[in-house]
Amino acid sequence: MALAVAELAAGPAAVAVVSDGISTSDRPDEASLAAAEAVLGALVGAVQAGADLEEACRDATQSAADAVQALAGESADQPSATLIAAVVTSDAVTTCWLGDSRAYWLAGSGARRLTRDDSLAEEMVAAGLLSEPEAMASAHAHVVTRWLGGDPAEATPHVLRFEPPGPGALLLCSDGLWNYRPGAEQLAALVLPGALTDPLAAADALVKVALDAGGMDNITAVLVPFPPARRAVPDDPDETALDT
């Protein structure tokens, strides 16, 4: 994961990234690190430059694809990773993704999943071949159909702009978390209201839930309260920090 703050005239903006290496590829840990670093740098630069955020997401994803591709060398199984990234400003969440890492909007009411998985399971549900519980229990549950790595032409991400109706928290996570708690309302019940004021502790709690349930895959969770705001650091009222 990667996380940064960009300063804007309207207030701070948070940039968050989760990338999950695909275990069947070569060097998946390096692929996810290269992707997270590339996307973070590109999006922070775009936010500071006042660029169109949806277009910036596409450009950042291409930068990540190029970074992962650069690791390939002569490997038969090219390094690959999923991607979910978001820019959280005072009025909206702009997110982009490839693969099955997810973004959720968590709130007291109206919690929802913002992303749609690039996976065989999701395709079978959409086609009416399986119910969602059946798909998640099948051998196809975590077989992704799009990712970073391999053909650069396949690196065009999904992009979504979401305007939250009120306070809440954005969750970005790998399938190692949502495999155990896939429902937005389930996740909201686990972390709210704490995620609004202490997102790190709430993220730790989510990881613990997944570990206690079996922890059979990489578990990554990033929580960003909305709207992003600065708070006084208790030890020094003159210092501030962004809640993320």
Side-chain angles (χ1 to χ4, degrees):
M1 58 77 69
L3 184 65
V5 177
E7 292 294 346
L8 301 175
V15 180
V17 186
V18 167
S19 182
D20 188 14
I22 295 175
S23 60
T24 54
S25 71
D26 189 34
R27 299 157 67 191
D29 54 340
E30 295 178 53
S32 60
L33 176 61
E37 290 179 339
V39 171
L40 186 74
L43 286 180
V44 169
V47 171
Q48 292 174 332
D52 178 86
L53 293 182
E54 294 185 37
E55 190 60 35
C57 281
R58 298 183 182 93
D59 292 343
T61 302
Q62 187 58 58
S63 295
D66 292 343
V68 172
Q69 182 67 22
L71 298 173
E74 298 179 358
S75 174
D77 295 319
Q78 294 184 337
S80 303
T82 70
L83 173 70
I84 177 70
V87 178
V88 184
T89 63
S90 60
D91 61 348
V93 173
T94 305
T95 185
C96 59
W97 73 96
L98 282 169
D100 63 354
S101 294
R102 293 181 176 180
Y104 288 87
W105 169 247
L106 306 182
S109 62
R112 53 177 284 199
R113 173 157 57 117
L114 298 177
T115 55
R116 177 177 55 83
D117 298 343
D118 290 314
S119 69
L120 286 179
E122 190 86 16
E123 291 178 2
M124 288 189 290
V125 171
L129 299 175
L130 294 175
S131 67
E132 185 168 356
E134 290 171 337
M136 289 298 99
S138 76
H140 306 296
H142 299 281
V143 177
V144 296
T145 54
R146 298 178 73 222
W147 56 85
L148 293 170
D151 187 355
E154 294 299 316
T156 302
H158 309 276
V159 179
L160 173 73
R161 186 178 189 273
F162 172 65
E163 296 183 7
L170 177 72
L171 168 67
L172 305 185
C173 65
S174 65
D175 60 345
L177 172 62
W178 65 252
N179 186 56
Y180 299 107
R181 294 293 189 278
E185 292 185 356
Q186 292 177 302
L187 293 164
L190 288 170
V191 301
L192 294 177
L196 303 180
T197 55
D198 193 350
L200 180 58
D204 282 342
L206 288 176
V207 172
K208 186 177 186 303
V209 166
L211 288 172
D212 290 347
M216 298 299 292
D217 202 352
N218 298 328
I219 307 161
T220 305
V222 177
L223 282 162
V224 180
F226 179 88
R230 292 200 167 274
R231 60 177 171 82
V233 176
D235 292 340
D236 186 347
D238 294 328
E239 294 184 7
T240 57
L242 181 68
D243 275 321
T244 51

